[in-house]
Amino acid sequence: MPFAFNPVRRLAVCAAVAAGLVTGTAQAAEMTGAGATFPYPVYAKWAEAYKAKTGVSLNYQSIGSGGGIKQIEAKTVDFGASDMPLKADDLDKNGLVQWPMIMGGVVPVVNVPGVAAGQMKLNGKVLADIYLGKITAWNDPAIAKINPELKLPNQPIAVVHRSDGSGTTFLFTSYLAAVSPDWKSKVGVNTAVEWPAGIGGKGNEGVANFAGQTAGSIGYVEYAYALQNKLAFTQLTNHEGAYVKPDSASFQAAAANADWKGTPGFHVVLVDQPGKASWPITGASFILMHKSQAKPENAQNVLKFFSWAYANGGKMAEDLDYVPMPGPVVKLVEGVWSKDIKSADGKPVWPAK
Amino acid sequence: MAGEVRPNPPAEGRGGEIFPAAVLSVPDAVPESPEAAHTGLAERGFALLCRSAAFAVAGLLLAVFVVLGVNAAPALHTFGFGFLTTEVWNPVTERFGAVAPIFGTLITSAIAMLIGLPLALGAALFLNEYCPHRLRGPVIVAIELLAAVPSIIYGMWGLLVLAPFLSAHFQPFMTAWVGPIPILGALFQGPPFGIGMLTAGLILGFMVLPFICSVSCQVLATVDPVLREAAYGVGATTWEVCRNVLLPFSRTGLLGAAMLGLGRALGETMAVTFVIGNSHRISASLFAPGTTISASLANEFTEAVGDTYLSSLQALGLVLFLITFIVLAAARLLMRHVERRAAQ
């Protein structure tokens, strides 16, 4: 009988040793991060390419922005990621530094018979009134007036919003508050709000699903989800009153016109930005790190990865319908790294040698 | 067997004439035997293991309760009793009340029982009394398979199949025909989106159906066949046997089956989240979106920012814990009452 067990046992020992080796090397060069789900696909793609090139792997857990903030405050990860920028006070209080890593746009999507992608025009006030439950049918004069070329049905509007807290909701409500005083006073801005109307879907895919199959619905999703699910996104008026369609060009226009330099902690919410070509609901996803680093070599590894992503990740980001950060903003960010992130004994961590 | 072997069955005692005294003596009389000591140790060890398993279960329950209580304390302290009586759920101003999720939990579970219970009982009675013997096995297997389907499958089916169907056919029909009736009509108002309390209740009903049915089947099968045969023997019809023999004799078991179903309905998360609309509002209409406690937790816990928000969500968890506890306790009391009445 012992002979029968022997090969099995030997195999098991080999496997255990091999597993030990694998995890051993992985721990030697692994960065850890946690947070926002929205940028997860592009972070994962960058990490894959970066590992193939350098052997350094990233363990990123997309547990949500709220979770990411908590984890970085507790120092259980090398960096946190959040779709909603922290205010300068909160950053100082926890000794954190924050910068924008990647951008995307939020687009309203509609499911109205006979209306294709990009055909319907909406403005901020009408969108806010729909979400406030004041406009309840598609043939409402307010919608018909700005869409004279569309034949709108007498159909109730099914308002779809996010049921979970989300950076997407933060951007969307920021925009509605910027353009509608009513929204600002009655509902406000947050990653989750008390919705006056509508049904909630979990995640971008939940909203995309409801909007895709409920006739007469309107929802808001990240641009990538609208494209992947072939949803009919709308045009919107921007700060200059011009109708724009959502695409990378209009997202980048919004980012280019933003005042990154003069805003402490890069606390820039790219809604309702100036510029005739700017898409009005654009936003960045942010990275959070501690200013004082107990393990400077870890921090250096992480910054090397982000620097590489800024320099080489643009194409990968665009393939996934994200918008890379413009060059001048990257320069500002790397300046902040060398100025603010230091080892425990006060030596700057960046630029890495 | 021993009786066959024994040449002279002893009139009294334990057969001392046949077996040597040492073998028959009780184990503690021979402590010096290593084998007996070993047996005693194993015996005690096993008892200890069983006891610690039982205590671990109770301890786990207590730990869950304590942790929920501690984490919910800040919210309960901030909002007081108002937490249970306000409908507001506003993450912006950080004011939270549990009425809408509690309402949704109770209403959807009630709809589920209204639909699931009669169907399950009917199916169980059919399987026990009317069903041809050859059909019985396959149908029971099918029902048990249905119970094994993961809840997310029910959710997806509800979202992709049931909701569009309700939205296109059932809801417009009900609003047009039942809607104008006073009071009753209020249940069927609002635009037909297919997503809402009714859809969630229906899905839950389908989910608890196999549970209740499969347990009810087993319960009905335990009724003494002699009783059943006797009833048929005196000329009772199948309906009379069901009504006067099967149901009265298995009512505690059936009540238990129903409670099992209700427990599942109260706590079900994923399937409900898919189809209820996740909106913290109360509406008289069953077509309106709502939310349940577990759906709110599943939706909001990961991205809840701020201590009050998180604490309020855990307070919701505590409320669900208490609701489930009350339901189970009520079921126990009811069962005892029924048993006592039956005994009289």
Side-chain angles (χ1 to χ4, degrees), chain A residues 64 163-165 194-195 200 213, chain B residues 89 91 159 193 277-278 281 299 303:
Chain A
S163 60
D164 47 342
E194 183 165 38
W195 296 98
Q213 70 164 0
Chain B
W89 189 265
L159 178 65
F193 297 139
N278 305 307
R281 281 190 305 274
N299 272 305
E303 292 272 357

Side-chain angles (χ1 to χ4, degrees), chain A residues 8 50 82 101 156 179 190 192-193 196 201 207 220 237 284 294 325 334 343:
Chain A
V8 177
Y50 190 67
S82 168
M101 196 63 222
V179 295
N190 205 341
V193 298
V207 172
Y220 60 91
T237 49
M325 298 306 297
E334 299 202 340
S343 62

